[in-house]
């Protein structure tokens, strides 16, 4: 049962991360399309946001593995 729970937790974490990254990138592309001269600052903020969005699923997967192999 714990194997199933760890798999579901890892899958939902990956799904949430993918949705979050998609939203961040789409809004950045929209911002660059509206104001092309602000591409540099928007890309910098986007990469910081991607790091934050990607950290949460990685932490969730690590926690699910820790609970699985406990």
């Amino acid at each position: 049962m714990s194997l199933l729970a760890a798999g579901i937790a890892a899958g939902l974490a990956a799904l949430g991360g993918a949705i979050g990254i998609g939203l961040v990138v789409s809004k950045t592309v929209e911002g660059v399309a509206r104001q092309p001269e602000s591409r540099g600052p928007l890309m910098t903020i986007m990469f910081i946001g991607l790091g934050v969005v990607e950290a949460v699923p990685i932490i969730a997967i690590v926690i699910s593995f820790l609970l699985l192999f406990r």
Side-chain angles (χ1 to χ4, degrees):
M1 199 57 142
S2 62
L3 183 63
L4 180 64
I8 290 173
L12 289 176
L15 180 66
I19 291 171
I21 288 174
L23 289 173
V24 169
V25 172
S26 71
K27 294 301 181 181
T28 303
V29 170
E30 184 179 319
V32 170
R34 288 175 187 250
Q35 293 183 345
E37 66 275 0
S38 65
R39 180 179 181 267
L42 283 176
M43 295 295 276
T44 303
I45 294 171
M46 180 192 73
F47 285 125
I48 293 170
L50 289 179
V52 171
V53 168
E54 190 64 28
V56 174
I58 290 172
I59 292 169
I61 290 173
V62 168
I63 290 173
S64 70
F65 284 155
L66 288 175
L67 292 175
L68 176 66
F69 297 117
R70 191 172 139 195

